[in-house]
Structure formats: C-alpha cells, structure tokens
C-alpha cells in the first residue's frame, strides 16, 4: 500500500493546520499547505501582484499562483496531506487532473467558534506550530514549547479580516465541500471536539480507507 493522499477541508480556523501536524507525523507524509507556502513568499512578484495584497485583505490569491505551488509539491510527494487547497471549483478541476485522493475529510465548526479561534491564535515563527491564548497555551507565554521560537499573531487574524475570510470561504469553498459530498466518500467530522478527539476520528477514517 502506498502512502495515503489526504485532503483536509474546513473553514478558516476549523483546525486544519492543527490536525495536519498530527496526521503528517502519524502517517509520515508531506504537509502541503498553500497558506504556509504563500506566507513564506508574501512579497514574491507575480503578474497579478504579490500574495501579501490578497492575503492581508482576506481574499483568495489568483488560481495560477496556487495551482503551480500545489502541482510542484504533489509531484515530489508520495503520500501527502493537503490543507488550504482547493478553495474554489476551478482549483478542484485542476487538482483532479493531477492526482487521486484516498481520503477527503471535512471539519465542521460554527462561525462564532471560528472567530474565537482565529483571533486567539498565536503561531511559532520558527516551526509554525499553532497555539491559542485560551485553548492551547504554551508553558511560557509567547514561547514555543517545541522549539523555543517566538510566537506571533498572523496579519490576517484580526477580527475584521477573519470575518472577511469566512465570507470568502462561504462563497467560494462551500461548493468545494458540496462537490466532494456529491462525488461520495466525504468524511464529515465534528471539529468542535477537543483536538485529540478530532484526531482519533481522522486517523480511523484514514486507516479504514487505506486498509492499514
Ligand atoms: P490559510 O493559511 O490556508 O488559512 P485558512 O484557510 O484561513 O485557515 P487557517 O490556517 O486560518 O485555519 P486552520 O484550519 O489551519 O486552523 P488552525 O489549526 O490553525 O490561508 C491564508 C490565506 O492564503 C487565504 O486567506 C488566501 O489569501 C491565501 N490562500 C491560501 N490558500 C489559497 C488557495 N488555495 N487559493 C487562493 N488563495 C489561497 O486552528 C486555529 C486556532 O484554533 C488555533 O489557535 C488552534 O490552537 C485552535 N484550535 C484548533 N483546533 C482546536 C480545537 N479542536 N479546539 C479548540 N481550539 C482549537
Ligand atoms: Mg492553517
Ligand atoms: Zn516552534
């Protein structure tokens, strides 16, 4: 059995990154995430402008830019966990032309909980691990437990931009969830449970679908 190819869907703040860290460790697969790739290249000049302009407004970065990132990463990976892509129907078409998927899972979380999670999130500037000022505090305030890195707040985690991201998600990405629901086999998980419980359900779904 080759390594699993997993797609994780969910609104901003649903816990995709949090679960991706656990799943990529558990299955020893690559984490492919357009959000992190774009944050690492915020000021890259493209014919559409820089990613920063779109990201700080909570809008989607143009499809050709993200399609290229994903295609290159998938080509290099055996198994992978894809997080943050596809975000609209055109990206779905692109993805389905370049790879098959073994598991598509969707984390469902209410809007009020999403805002609370996004505005309270703090991220390690070195290893990228996420914390939360109420739900997941490091032992020492502002310092990553894993690597000692400094924690910061993402530019797009202000309440105003978080609300815009959720609106953009509802308009563009809800049809993506619907697409996978219709084509079958969408694993729907209650993302409001504790991270450990969400992980158990995800891991069981992957084990079941890959006969591990
Ligand atoms: P991206 O980085 O993908 O952001 P996002 O989709 O908005 O998702 P987040 O990373 O905010 O949420 P998450 O689900 O990973 O939550 P996390 O686990 O951290 O994209 C950013 C921007 O890049 C976009 O706006 C766009 O401009 C651009 N972009 C990216 N991909 C693109 C694409 N394909 N096309 C076009 N543009 C693209 O958790 C959040 C918080 O909650 C944390 O603090 C965590 O500690 C806490 N938490 C997690 N799980 C739980 C739990 N179970 N209980 C309590 N708290 C929890
Ligand atoms: Mg994320
Ligand atoms: Zn760290």
């Amino acid at each position: 059995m080759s390594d699993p190819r997993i797609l994780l869907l969910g609104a901003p703040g649903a816990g995709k990154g949090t679960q991706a860290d656990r799943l990529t460790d558990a299955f020893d697969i690559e984490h492919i995430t357009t959000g992190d790739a774009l944050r690492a290249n915020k000021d890259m000049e493209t014919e559409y402008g820089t990613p920063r302009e779109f990201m700080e407004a909570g809008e989607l970065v143009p499809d050709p830019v993200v399609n290229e990132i994903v295609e290159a990463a998938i080509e290099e990976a055996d198994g992978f966990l894809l997080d943050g892509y596809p975000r609209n129907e055109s990206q779905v078409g692109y993805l389905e032309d370049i790879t098959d998927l073994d598991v598509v899972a969707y984390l469902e979380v209410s809007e009020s909980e999403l805002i609370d999670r996004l505005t309270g999130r703090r991220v390690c500037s070195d290893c990228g691990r996420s914390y939360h000022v109420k739900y997941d505090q490091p032992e020492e305030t502002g310092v990553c437990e894993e690597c000692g890195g400094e924690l910061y707040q993402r530019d797009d985690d202000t309440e105003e931009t978080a609300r815009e991201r959720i609106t953009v998600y509802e308009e563009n990405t809800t049809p993506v969830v619907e697409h996978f629901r219709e084509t079958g086999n969408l694993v729907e998980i209650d993302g409001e449970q504790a991270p450990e419980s969400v992980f158990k359900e995800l891991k069981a779904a992957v084990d079941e679908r890959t006969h591990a």
Side-chain angles (χ1 to χ4, degrees):
M1 185 72 212
S2 56
D3 290 340
R5 294 161 300 181
I6 309 167
L7 170 60
L8 199 49
L9 297 169
K16 302 180 297 294
T18 301
Q19 297 302 327
D21 286 346
R22 295 164 191 247
L23 288 164
T24 52
D25 274 355
F27 292 100
D28 194 20
I29 51 178
E30 294 297 317
H31 185 192
I32 302 178
T33 165
T34 44
D36 287 356
L38 292 166
R39 271 185 289 283
N41 294 284
K42 267 195 166 178
D43 296 311
M44 173 180 69
E45 290 294 342
T46 76
E47 61 183 288
Y48 313 94
T50 61
R52 179 186 295 278
E53 296 160 34
F54 299 94
M55 296 174 81
E56 287 181 1
E59 307 299 327
L60 296 185
V61 173
D63 293 340
V65 178
V66 290
N67 289 344
E68 198 181 316
I69 293 173
V70 170
E71 183 166 10
I74 284 181
E75 257 174 31
E76 282 181 20
D78 183 9
F80 58 79
L81 182 135
L82 185 54
D83 141 24
Y85 180 100
R87 267 176 143 90
N88 59 32
E89 288 178 289
S90 139
Q91 294 179 15
V92 171
Y94 196 86
L95 178 67
E96 289 186 331
D97 282 344
I98 55 178
T99 188
D100 291 328
L101 299 165
D102 301 308
V103 184
V104 184
Y106 169 55
L107 303 179
E108 186 154 24
V109 174
S110 67
E111 180 163 349
S112 58
E113 172 81 14
L114 294 173
I115 294 290
D116 206 30
R117 288 190 187 180
L118 291 169
T119 53
R121 171 168 54 192
R122 299 294 181 271
V123 184
C124 175
S125 51
D126 286 340
C127 74
R129 185 185 150 178
S130 286
Y131 294 85
H132 192 281
V133 293
K134 283 189 287 192
Y135 310 131
D136 184 10
Q137 296 165 310
E139 271 166 35
E140 193 184 334
T141 306
V143 180
C144 178
E145 275 172 23
E146 311 273 334
C147 75
E150 197 182 322
L151 305 189
Y152 75 103
Q153 184 169 24
R154 269 169 52 174
D155 293 334
D156 60 351
D157 278 346
T158 60
E159 183 170 345
E160 189 192 357
T161 308
R163 288 202 187 280
E164 177 60 17
R165 286 158 59 204
I166 291 169
T167 303
V168 167
Y169 170 84
E170 278 164 0
E171 279 171 18
N172 295 273
T173 316
T174 307
V176 173
V177 176
E178 200 45 48
H179 168 87
F180 287 106
R181 199 176 268 136
E182 280 167 11
T183 53
N185 256 324
L186 181 69
V187 183
E188 307 204 37
I189 292 175
D190 173 6
E192 295 201 15
Q193 308 173 83
E196 204 44 46
S197 309
V198 175
F199 174 65
K200 272 195 191 134
E201 288 194 24
L202 281 167
K203 183 170 183 304
V206 177
D207 284 339
E208 191 189 312
R209 280 162 183 76
T210 52
H211 313 288

